[in-house]
Amino acid sequence: KKLKVLDIHGDGAKLQLVVSVKDYAAGAKAYNKIIAVIKIGDIIGARGYPGKSKGGKLSLVAVELVVPSPLQANAGGQGNITDKIEEEQKTSVGCEN
């Protein structure tokens, strides 16, 4: 998949994070690698620019992701983030700058 939409939750707020191959600064290989390792519950860092989804949600279009310390509790078989996103997201989201 060339586009992933992640919902980031923290401190009572929610942010939509859009990660795409074309915007990812390190290229397709690094994009595929980071998407494969992100698990639900991981604390991640993101660098990017603001955007808006076609639905009007404020988003961050990521050019870089960092997973400083993967959550150990995910060993219980929740699957990686790609599996969960494909299960929950059946439509792709476009972004406008």
Short mmCIF file of all heavy atoms in Angstrom, two decimals, residues 6 13-14 52 65 69 74 78 80 83-84 93 97:
data_model
loop_
_atom_site.label_atom_id
_atom_site.label_comp_id
_atom_site.label_asym_id
_atom_site.label_seq_id
_atom_site.Cartn_x
_atom_site.Cartn_y
_atom_site.Cartn_z
N LEU A 6 -3.17 7.01 9.94
CA LEU A 6 -3.08 6.58 11.33
C LEU A 6 -3.81 7.60 12.20
O LEU A 6 -3.65 8.81 12.01
CB LEU A 6 -1.62 6.50 11.78
CG LEU A 6 -0.65 5.74 10.88
CD1 LEU A 6 0.76 5.87 11.40
CD2 LEU A 6 -1.05 4.29 10.81
N ALA A 13 -6.68 14.37 22.91
CA ALA A 13 -6.77 14.90 21.55
C ALA A 13 -6.54 13.78 20.54
O ALA A 13 -5.96 12.75 20.86
CB ALA A 13 -5.74 16.01 21.34
N LYS A 14 -6.98 14.01 19.31
CA LYS A 14 -6.83 13.04 18.24
C LYS A 14 -6.30 13.77 17.00
O LYS A 14 -6.76 14.86 16.68
CB LYS A 14 -8.18 12.38 17.95
CG LYS A 14 -8.16 11.33 16.88
CD LYS A 14 -9.55 10.70 16.78
CE LYS A 14 -9.73 10.01 15.46
NZ LYS A 14 -11.06 9.46 15.30
N LYS A 52 -5.19 18.78 4.92
CA LYS A 52 -6.60 18.56 5.22
C LYS A 52 -7.09 17.41 4.38
O LYS A 52 -6.79 17.32 3.19
CB LYS A 52 -7.39 19.81 4.85
CG LYS A 52 -8.35 20.25 5.89
CD LYS A 52 -9.09 21.48 5.45
CE LYS A 52 -9.22 22.41 6.62
NZ LYS A 52 -10.04 23.56 6.32
N LEU A 65 8.93 9.29 10.09
CA LEU A 65 8.39 8.66 11.30
C LEU A 65 9.54 8.05 12.09
O LEU A 65 10.49 7.54 11.50
CB LEU A 65 7.39 7.56 10.95
CG LEU A 65 6.09 7.96 10.29
CD1 LEU A 65 5.26 6.70 9.98
CD2 LEU A 65 5.29 8.89 11.16
N SER A 69 10.67 3.54 20.89
CA SER A 69 10.60 2.38 21.76
C SER A 69 9.29 1.65 21.53
O SER A 69 8.26 2.06 22.04
CB SER A 69 10.70 2.82 23.22
OG SER A 69 10.61 1.72 24.07
N ASN A 74 2.49 -5.47 22.94
CA ASN A 74 1.90 -5.93 21.69
C ASN A 74 2.26 -7.36 21.34
O ASN A 74 1.81 -7.87 20.32
CB ASN A 74 2.28 -5.00 20.54
CG ASN A 74 1.48 -3.73 20.58
OD1 ASN A 74 0.32 -3.75 20.95
ND2 ASN A 74 2.10 -2.64 20.22
N GLN A 78 -1.80 -8.61 18.66
CA GLN A 78 -2.70 -7.62 18.08
C GLN A 78 -2.39 -7.36 16.61
O GLN A 78 -3.18 -6.77 15.92
CB GLN A 78 -2.62 -6.30 18.85
CG GLN A 78 -3.31 -6.35 20.17
CD GLN A 78 -3.52 -4.96 20.72
OE1 GLN A 78 -3.36 -3.97 20.04
NE2 GLN A 78 -3.89 -4.90 21.98
N ASN A 80 0.37 -6.02 13.39
CA ASN A 80 1.02 -4.74 13.17
C ASN A 80 0.00 -3.71 12.70
O ASN A 80 -1.14 -4.00 12.43
CB ASN A 80 2.20 -4.87 12.19
CG ASN A 80 1.77 -5.27 10.80
OD1 ASN A 80 0.68 -4.97 10.35
ND2 ASN A 80 2.66 -5.95 10.10
N ASP A 83 -1.96 -4.30 9.41
CA ASP A 83 -3.09 -5.22 9.51
C ASP A 83 -4.32 -4.51 10.07
O ASP A 83 -5.42 -4.67 9.57
CB ASP A 83 -2.76 -6.41 10.41
CG ASP A 83 -1.65 -7.27 9.84
OD1 ASP A 83 -1.43 -7.23 8.61
OD2 ASP A 83 -1.00 -7.97 10.63
N LYS A 84 -4.14 -3.74 11.12
CA LYS A 84 -5.25 -3.05 11.78
C LYS A 84 -5.84 -1.99 10.87
O LYS A 84 -7.06 -1.84 10.79
CB LYS A 84 -4.77 -2.44 13.10
CG LYS A 84 -5.88 -1.92 13.96
CD LYS A 84 -6.74 -3.05 14.47
CE LYS A 84 -7.75 -2.55 15.46
NZ LYS A 84 -8.69 -3.55 15.87
N VAL A 93 -7.78 7.96 1.79
CA VAL A 93 -8.05 9.36 2.09
C VAL A 93 -7.05 10.19 1.31
O VAL A 93 -5.85 9.95 1.35
CB VAL A 93 -7.87 9.63 3.61
CG1 VAL A 93 -8.04 11.09 3.91
CG2 VAL A 93 -8.87 8.79 4.39
N ASN A 97 -3.24 20.30 0.32
CA ASN A 97 -2.35 21.21 1.09
C ASN A 97 -2.99 22.56 1.22
O ASN A 97 -3.72 23.03 0.47
CB ASN A 97 -1.00 21.34 0.40
CG ASN A 97 -0.22 20.05 0.54
OD1 ASN A 97 -0.48 19.26 1.44
ND2 ASN A 97 0.72 19.84 -0.33
#
